[in-house]
Amino acid sequence: MSELSNEIRRRRTFAIISHPDAGKTTLTEKLLLFGGAIHVAGAVKSNKIRKTATSDWMEIEKQRGISVATSVMGFDYEGYKINILDTPGHQDFAEDTYRTLTAVDSVIIVVDIAKGVEAQTRKLMEVCRMRKTPVMIFVNKMDREGIEPFDLLDELEQELKIHVRPLSWPIDMGARFKGVYNIYEKKLDLYTQSKQYITESIQFKDINNPELEQHIGEKEAKKLRADLELIEGVYPEFDSPKEDENTSQTGLDKYLEGDLAPVFFGSALNNFGVKELLDCFVQIAPSPRPVRTEEKQVVPEEDPFSGFVFKIHANMDPNHRSCIAFLKICSGKFERNTNYKHVRFDKMMKFTQATAFMAQKKETVDEAFAGDIIGLPDTGNFKIGDTVTAGETLHFKGLPSFSPEMFKYIENADPMKAKQLNKGIDQLMDEGVAQLFVNQFNGRKIIGTVGQLQFEVIQYRLLHEYGAQCKWESLNLYKACWIESDSAEALENFKKRKHQYMAIDKEGRDVFLADSAYVLQMAQQDFKDIRFHFSSEF
Ligand code: G4P
């Protein structure tokens, strides 16, 4: 195998997602500890917005500043190169998370045993499902009382709309928690409450071995055997991928297709069940997958380098207006001081200061491979979705915008600074801070966000970075729908009939702004030739 394919196959690029407080930061930290990337617990600063500071977004930005360093955490583990992509903890920045999900090859979802599936997880799972991203689930906080495990599995299936398959199984929970049986490796892992040490595990190939009683007691041993029998009877087998077209699909095939989520149980805080998760993860999680572009399918092992920008992080210091554009390498190898093509500009550029993210440190990168994320210092050259290649003209697909949740008209509050305002809005939208729609009826600009905080961020940044003042005017809208039709006539007719509610997005696509669920439903009923989408890619 060539060096290139070797390097690519050992890469595991993924994100950990969860509802705030389920334990994402703790799990990330423990994975870094196992990977040797950090040596003491507490080294990863949570990018979770502290509850006391939710209205103070400057504070949030300070915390976000910390998170640049932890945006991508790369480390080597047992011959694998792991890249964990961090996602913002605050739901007002959910759009950032959606975009990060376009750059990963798989996802680990953390669920709190006491809370089950929560709102944010449900939403993020929708994005994974759309992209058929392989998903693993870590059920956290087993040291606390929570939902009965079989009930939780049902809940996961129903709420996340994905099949599940436990690969480890808890022995009781809360104060009585004794450990887990690692189904994947046929081992019994006994739990000792400790925040610093990894527990020992005992190989237990045959669960009927009477020694089981000695470790967990008679009652628990009986229950564990019964539970495991039930699991084997109810959930699909999980072993090696199918050998040819004729063999039926195994759980592993289904996982790789995004149809089935293996489930692990543990307690991240107590270091328990995390290594089991990581060991299984590196073995079964996919290495970088082929990526679609408008022109062709790009295979990671292809020699020419290519990648796309999925995130732009601005430095909030007004004296040093600079950004980092995060680029996911989709094929080949990136080399420092080489000329690469910025496809939108149709221009060759050289990146001397690209950074790699290893063990939380940013360092100048000499070479990086498909699957890796590199940071390109940027002074306004990049926008989200931009492609960089060795020379080919490619446009990566699959960076959708989702319908915002909140909308406001943006108005100029200082007539002398109209130019600055427009420039500021343009650049902030390119960075992906929020979405811009222009109403076709009255020409007014509408900003769409996921949460209130983004409006505050925009107002502050317009003033401090562009010297422009804006004011907001409330606008009650339910959803922005991207519309299409096979019939140009039907589309024109719809646009005419709904002209007051038609807008175009930043890419010039038609968007219908529905002011209520009822209006949307009626429009769907009355205009059968029109398809309504809640994301810009369909
Ligand atoms: P997040 O990034 O998903 O928002 O969650 P985070 O890891 O910050 O964890 C949220 C809270 O849950 C933290 O407590 C953390 O210590 C706790 N936690 C994480 N894993 C476990 C676990 O396995 N068992 C138990 N019992 N608790 C767990 P906190 O009090 O909010 O923060 P901190 O002051 O401890 O940092």
Side-chain angles (χ1 to χ4, degrees):
M1 209 188 296
S2 71
E3 185 212 359
L4 182 66
S5 8
N6 240 337
E7 283 295 340
I8 294 169
R9 283 188 194 180
R10 73 185 191 93
R11 272 158 169 78
R12 299 286 181 272
T13 301
F14 71 105
I16 304 179
I17 57 177
S18 74
H19 191 86
D21 268 356
K24 178 169 71 79
T25 311
T26 314
L27 179 65
T28 307
E29 178 173 281
K30 296 303 158 82
L31 292 174
L32 294 177
L33 272 171
F34 284 118
I38 56 170
H39 299 287
V40 281
V44 178
K45 291 279 172 290
S46 165
N47 75 350
K48 177 174 62 168
I49 311 307
R50 291 285 157 215
K51 289 165 200 106
T52 49
T54 38
S55 58
D56 180 357
W57 76 266
M58 268 315 279
E59 188 52 37
I60 292 168
E61 275 306 326
K62 261 191 245 151
Q63 295 183 26
R64 246 159 67 93
I66 299 168
S67 76
V68 175
T70 60
S71 280
V72 183
M73 289 158 280
F75 60 91
D76 284 298
Y77 178 76
E78 313 242 305
Y80 294 93
K81 164 79 192 294
I82 311 231
N83 296 309
I84 306 181
L85 273 58
D86 198 12
T87 53
H90 198 289
Q91 61 182 23
D92 282 13
F93 298 105
E95 189 85 21
D96 270 11
T97 306
Y98 301 153
R99 279 192 296 262
T100 297
L101 291 181
T102 64
V104 300
D105 300 303
S106 69
V107 156
I108 294 180
I109 295 178
V110 185
V111 173
D112 183 332
I113 183 74
K115 306 236 172 91
V117 176
E118 296 174 87
Q120 185 87 341
T121 316
R122 213 172 291 130
K123 220 162 150 186
L124 294 171
M125 181 64 210
E126 270 172 40
V127 182
C128 295
R129 209 173 318 112
M130 245 174 80
R131 306 178 50 80
K132 293 193 160 300
T133 309
V135 159
M136 256 173 156
I137 298 173
F138 182 71
V139 180
N140 193 26
K141 307 197 186 180
M142 290 308 297
D143 57 319
R144 293 219 178 136
E145 296 299 330
I147 303 166
E148 207 275 317
F150 279 115
D151 290 344
L152 182 71
L153 293 181
D154 287 348
E155 183 178 326
L156 291 170
E157 287 205 323
Q158 275 164 23
E159 297 278 327
L160 299 179
K161 300 190 183 70
I162 189 165
H163 297 292
V164 296
R165 201 312 171 187
L167 288 187
S168 82
W169 194 247
I171 303 162
D172 225 326
M173 62 171 71
R176 304 168 314 283
F177 184 48
K178 297 213 168 47
V180 296
Y181 180 70
N182 182 339
I183 301 173
Y184 188 67
E185 291 190 21
K186 295 192 173 24
K187 281 189 318 197
L188 178 71
D189 295 337
L190 293 175
Y191 172 71
T192 40
Q193 191 170 358
S194 153
K195 294 181 187 170
Q196 298 298 338
Y197 301 102
I198 303 161
T199 39
E200 292 295 318
S201 54
I202 310 152
Q203 196 70 46
F204 240 97
K205 287 226 179 308
D206 181 5
I207 199 67
N208 292 316
N209 186 334
E211 274 179 34
L212 187 65
E213 272 79 354
Q214 288 166 23
H215 292 290
I216 59 175
E218 205 169 306
K219 197 172 128 235
E220 291 298 354
K222 200 169 152 209
K223 180 161 189 312
L224 178 62
R225 289 188 186 113
D227 284 355
L228 291 176
E229 203 181 314
L230 191 60
I231 288 167
E232 296 310 324
V234 171
Y235 296 99
E237 246 181 75
F238 198 93
D239 41 30
S240 46
K242 63 179 175 182
E243 273 151 25
D244 55 58
E245 286 308 306
N246 300 324
T247 31
S248 62
Q249 271 201 327
T250 67
L252 182 53
D253 296 317
K254 289 190 185 143
Y255 159 66
L256 292 171
E257 285 170 12
D259 289 334
L260 178 141
V263 181
F264 282 83
F265 292 82
S267 166
L269 186 66
N270 294 297
N271 248 335
F272 193 79
V274 177
K275 188 168 187 300
E276 289 68 24
L277 173 78
L278 180 60
D279 284 343
C280 176
F281 173 81
V282 291
Q283 282 178 45
I284 69 170
S287 53
R289 306 195 294 170
V291 188
R292 272 187 316 143
T293 68
E294 276 167 28
E295 292 78 8
K296 63 172 201 183
Q297 168 133 307
V298 172
V299 180
E301 281 89 359
E302 271 176 41
D303 213 1
F305 157 82
S306 68
F308 69 90
V309 173
F310 65 94
K311 167 173 169 159
I312 293 175
H313 195 110
N315 180 350
M316 296 296 286
D317 180 351
N319 300 320
H320 305 93
R321 195 184 139 65
S322 65
C323 300
I324 299 178
F326 288 79
L327 181 120
K328 162 89 185 274
I329 304 179
C330 297
S331 68
K333 175 176 169 183
F334 171 90
E335 285 170 292
R336 192 177 170 201
N337 285 332
T338 306
N339 273 310
Y340 291 117
K341 182 169 165 179
H342 186 309
V343 172
R344 186 166 49 91
F345 290 169
D346 193 18
K347 196 174 106 188
M348 297 306 276
M349 292 171 86
K350 199 179 269 183
F351 302 101
T352 49
Q353 293 299 325
T355 47
F357 303 89
M358 277 303 281
Q360 291 187 280
K361 285 196 295 281
K362 283 196 302 173
E363 49 193 39
T364 308
V365 62
D366 289 320
E367 56 177 37
F369 297 87
D372 286 337
I373 312 294
I374 52 174
L376 305 174
D378 177 31
T379 46
N381 279 327
F382 286 110
K383 62 181 190 175
I384 303 251
D386 272 345
T387 303
V388 181
T389 70
E392 246 180 311
T393 297
L394 296 174
H395 297 88
F396 283 95
K397 290 175 79 133
L399 267 161
S401 302
F402 295 88
S403 174
E405 310 281 328
M406 300 175 88
F407 301 83
K408 283 183 188 182
Y409 282 122
I410 184 164
E411 291 295 337
N412 188 3
D414 179 353
M416 306 297 288
K417 299 282 172 65
K419 233 167 117 183
Q420 284 86 335
L421 182 76
N422 288 335
K423 184 176 169 210
I425 295 176
D426 261 6
Q427 288 195 352
L428 294 183
M429 298 307 126
D430 283 351
E431 244 181 57
V433 174
Q435 290 180 60
L436 173 71
F437 303 98
V438 180
N439 187 312
Q440 294 305 85
F441 177 62
N442 56 21
R444 294 178 74 183
K445 288 184 173 171
I446 298 167
I447 302 286
T449 69
V450 179
Q452 176 60 28
L453 277 172
Q454 282 161 290
F455 292 116
E456 291 168 34
V457 172
I458 292 167
Q459 190 157 16
Y460 180 93
R461 290 190 59 187
L462 285 172
L463 183 63
H464 288 84
E465 291 171 36
Y466 300 91
Q469 288 191 47
C470 76
K471 55 181 188 224
W472 301 109
E473 195 182 306
S474 58
L475 176 61
N476 220 349
L477 288 178
Y478 166 66
K479 284 263 160 39
C481 301
W482 283 263
I483 56 164
E484 59 159 358
S485 173
D486 295 330
S487 151
E489 201 188 327
L491 199 61
E492 272 321 301
N493 178 41
F494 180 82
K495 283 160 64 175
K496 236 186 244 154
R497 293 272 301 277
K498 297 281 180 194
H499 67 288
Q500 291 190 10
Y501 302 98
M502 288 308 301
I504 51 167
D505 73 1
K506 203 152 182 307
E507 311 303 324
R509 292 172 292 216
D510 287 320
V511 178
F512 170 55
L513 302 170
D515 52 9
S516 71
Y518 177 73
V519 164
L520 178 59
Q521 204 186 341
M522 292 311 287
Q524 283 167 322
Q525 244 173 49
D526 295 346
F527 297 89
K528 293 262 186 288
D529 292 342
I530 307 286
R531 290 185 292 276
F532 299 80
H533 303 280
F534 294 121
S535 78
S536 64
E537 271 197 17
F538 23 86

